[in-house]
Amino acid sequence: MPDHATPISTLRTLLREKAVLGSVGSVVGWDEQTQLPPAGTDLRADQSSLLARLMHERATSAQLGTAIADAEAASPEGDEAVIVREARRDYDRATKLPTRLVEELARAEVKGHAAWVEARKNDDFAAFVPHLETMLKLKREEADCVGHPHHDDDPYAALLDDYEPGESPAYLDEVFASLKGPLVDLVGRINDSGKTPRRELLTRSFPVDAQRELSTKAAKAIGFEFNAGRLDVAVHPFCSGFGPGDTRMTTRFFEHDLGNSFFSTLHETGHALYEQNLPKAEHFGTALGESVSLGIHESQSRLWENLVGRSPAFWQYLWPTAQELFPEALGGESMDDFVFATNDVRPSFIRTESDEATYNLHVLLRFEIERALLSGDLSVADLPGAWDEKMDAYLGIKPDKASNGCLQDVHWSAGLIGYFPTYTLGNVYASCLFDKVTDALGGQAERDALFARGEFRPLLDWLIDNVHHHGKRHAARDLVEKATGSKPTVEPLLTHLQEKASLYYGV
């Protein structure tokens, strides 16, 4: 290191180098889900395993440990204290994981993903069983290695902490308990209303090239910078922020399902806006340039997808373009009928295509099942039956095939156990933030007037100032409280859903 280096500058250099190596792994992961031919799976597993080992060695090196200790000894304050605090957290967690386990997890993720893609395509759950059993075994070992935060004897807490730092399963239990009853009641009243939108407006013939054009225009309109990112196709949509100047997102297109592709794109654009507006140019590799939690990340995607993208004001801006791109499907149709169709509430099999009112029941189902799988209370062989029972209990329907049931999500194949609850936290946080930004924009009427003119920058600027630019300075709930002036609760979300139910269904 240069003679003039300070403890914090030395630490910054090492953290940036670690992040650059991690970004290489992200590129490999993105390629796996967008470009990799099936026959390349074994090689990709070797590549990913090797990269995981190299990244783990970098993340647990004695040099990095010494740099963190030296920076701590310098008694850092302000932003420097945040960098050191989070570096210590990451280092301590990483050093608890043996390199062998890190390599095995990386290899299992690649093979598990490839197996999941085929199993989902063929509705063949049995083919996925050994891969899920292997992943659960490895994730239990990971939980045992890193320990259980907050003195919690639930191994789920250790995995949750990786996605939602500082959060506990007990808090999630409280959130879901507060939502479950009101949501089941609301969905029931909507179903009993006798009102249904013209759902077929979204299932006519929508040429894929025109869908891509509409999605691209919407992403640009709300702020995505295509000179610093791109949109591709994957089996399961995702977003990956590699680093400064490179944020990739994916979607999927179906000719007879406009809503699937469009709202998937809008959802991933919300993630991408967060990634593009984190202060990575200055702080890449440190906590100041990283998202605070997946719950906050989901708050950004769900806010743009639902609170903005399903609003009449948003479609006042985009409707002329939609009619121009799809003259046969939408040319003579009413925008109000179309918007009602995008806000359709009805029990459905697929989480990513579900409406706002039933969505969190889908998440609750997964939260309960993956805890039971991890603890061993539920065997992998019994997963389909447990899934069907809970879907019947919460949504009143049973999947007709595995791809509409327990094979629909990519997460378990990739080892993302503990991830699902962050979707509901995101919905809760999004509603809290949206209420506050509406006030900041001058109230609902002024906010909607901006949207109708295609002026989304004021909303994005508020999010940048109050969420994105903070990096990991604050824990997730603290960040929401700082931005809104109140502790996050489920009430804004429930109020939002009730207002929509009143508007469209009269209940």
Side-chain angles (χ1 to χ4, degrees):
M1 296 295 171
D3 292 340
H4 61 276
T6 65
I8 193 66
S9 68
T10 298
L11 178 59
R12 276 180 175 271
T13 297
L14 293 174
L15 292 174
R16 182 178 177 83
E17 290 175 353
K18 179 166 75 79
V20 170
L21 183 58
S23 72
V24 175
S26 295
V27 174
V28 169
W30 171 85
D31 178 81
E32 175 194 337
Q33 297 197 43
T34 60
Q35 308 294 328
L36 184 69
T41 297
D42 288 344
L43 175 60
R44 182 53 45 88
D46 290 342
Q47 293 168 333
S48 296
S49 179
L50 175 58
L51 276 170
R53 174 168 63 81
L54 294 175
M55 288 187 285
H56 186 66
E57 290 173 353
R58 182 66 66 108
T60 59
S61 70
Q63 183 184 22
L64 179 58
T66 298
I68 294 171
D70 290 346
E72 289 171 329
S75 301
E77 298 179 351
D79 285 353
E80 292 185 352
V82 174
I83 293 172
V84 177
R85 179 193 73 204
E86 295 300 316
R88 168 58 68 189
R89 169 189 157 81
D90 293 343
Y91 184 79
D92 286 351
R93 184 182 179 92
T95 53
K96 293 176 181 177
L97 296 175
T99 301
R100 184 266 316 159
L101 176 59
V102 173
E103 290 183 276
E104 286 188 27
L105 278 166
R107 187 179 301 278
E109 288 166 14
V110 174
K111 290 184 173 293
H113 175 75
W116 168 77
V117 169
E118 287 300 306
R120 182 177 182 269
K121 181 173 65 176
N122 298 321
D123 285 307
D124 184 5
F125 177 73
F128 184 55
V129 166
H131 297 276
L132 182 53
E133 288 177 336
T134 295
M135 184 57 71
L136 284 167
K137 175 179 177 292
L138 294 173
K139 297 305 283 189
R140 291 188 191 107
E141 184 178 353
E142 178 185 339
D144 288 340
C145 289
V146 300
H148 308 143
H150 321 299
H151 308 287
D152 194 324
D153 62 359
D154 182 355
Y156 192 82
L159 303 183
L160 171 66
D161 193 67
D162 199 29
Y163 306 113
E164 203 66 22
E167 207 48 272
S168 69
Y171 176 70
L172 296 176
D173 287 336
E174 293 176 11
V175 170
F176 283 115
S178 299
L179 288 172
K180 182 178 177 180
L183 290 177
V184 171
D185 174 69
L186 179 64
V187 173
R189 287 188 285 118
I190 289 173
N191 289 341
D192 291 341
S193 71
K195 295 185 178 181
T196 57
R198 295 173 56 200
R199 299 167 183 164
E200 50 86 22
L201 283 175
L202 295 172
T203 59
R204 296 174 176 179
S205 176
F206 297 95
V208 167
D209 287 345
Q211 287 193 52
R212 184 186 294 275
E213 187 173 344
L214 182 69
S215 294
T216 299
K217 177 171 182 176
K220 287 180 178 178
I222 66 174
F224 183 71
E225 299 289 347
F226 275 90
N227 67 330
R230 54 183 293 133
L231 175 66
D232 293 280
V233 174
V235 174
H236 190 105
F238 69 95
C239 172
S240 184
F242 296 168
D246 195 351
T247 297
R248 312 283 179 96
M249 56 182 183
T250 68
T251 190
R252 54 191 177 195
F253 295 105
F254 303 99
E255 181 183 351
H256 294 283
D257 191 350
L258 176 63
N260 189 318
S261 64
F262 182 81
F263 289 106
S264 292
T265 304
L266 214 57
H267 180 97
E268 300 307 331
T269 303
H271 283 305
L273 292 176
Y274 190 8
E275 288 294 326
Q276 287 193 332
N277 289 293
L278 286 164
K280 295 182 183 181
E282 180 183 0
H283 297 296
F284 183 53
T286 80
L288 298 178
E290 297 172 347
S291 60
V292 62
S293 78
L294 286 182
I296 295 297
H297 229 309
E298 284 301 321
S299 77
Q300 303 306 287
S301 60
R302 298 294 284 176
L303 185 152
W304 287 104
E305 175 193 358
N306 292 324
L307 302 177
V308 177
R310 298 183 194 271
S311 69
F314 176 82
W315 284 100
Q316 285 179 36
Y317 162 68
L318 203 59
W319 185 243
T321 301
Q323 287 188 304
E324 180 182 341
L325 288 171
F326 309 110
E328 294 183 7
L330 300 178
E333 298 297 343
S334 158
M335 187 198 82
D336 290 340
D337 286 349
F338 179 84
V339 176
F340 187 9
T342 70
N343 286 284
D344 178 25
V345 174
R346 58 187 168 108
S348 59
F349 296 133
I350 306 298
R351 173 187 61 84
T352 57
E353 301 168 19
S354 63
D355 59 87
E356 292 179 85
T358 61
Y359 184 91
N360 294 298
L361 297 175
H362 284 267
V363 178
L364 172 60
L365 177 156
R366 289 155 174 78
F367 172 55
E368 293 177 345
I369 283 179
E370 69 179 9
R371 289 182 78 179
L373 286 170
L374 188 68
S375 68
D377 291 340
L378 175 66
S379 71
V380 173
D382 291 334
L383 169 57
W387 184 289
D388 292 356
E389 287 178 10
K390 286 185 180 293
M391 183 157 279
D392 187 30
Y394 297 159
L395 296 166
I397 56 175
K398 287 188 176 181
D400 55 345
K401 53 186 178 180
S403 58
N404 280 337
C406 60
L407 280 179
Q408 66 180 269
D409 293 301
V410 70
H411 302 65
W412 293 335
S413 71
L416 302 179
I417 298 173
Y419 189 121
F420 278 118
T422 67
Y423 288 121
T424 288
L425 290 178
N427 286 329
V428 171
Y429 297 157
S431 295
C432 294
L433 293 169
F434 199 63
D435 275 5
K436 184 63 177 181
V437 72
T438 295
D439 291 340
L441 295 177
Q444 181 176 339
E446 180 57 31
R447 180 202 71 199
D448 288 350
L450 289 169
F451 292 175
R453 296 193 298 268
E455 297 177 19
F456 302 103
R457 189 71 204 189
L459 168 57
L460 179 58
D461 284 342
W462 189 91
L463 293 171
I464 290 170
D465 291 341
N466 290 278
V467 178
H468 306 173
H469 276 186
H470 284 287
K472 286 187 173 180
R473 286 184 178 89
H474 313 288
R477 278 193 270 168
D478 293 339
L479 177 62
V480 175
E481 182 175 2
K482 181 178 177 63
T484 66
S486 302
K487 293 182 182 297
T489 73
V490 301
E491 294 310 315
L493 174 59
L494 292 175
T495 298
H496 163 72
L497 295 176
Q498 178 58 63
E499 289 176 349
K500 274 199 171 183
S502 298
L503 174 64
Y504 292 111
Y505 293 95
V507 300

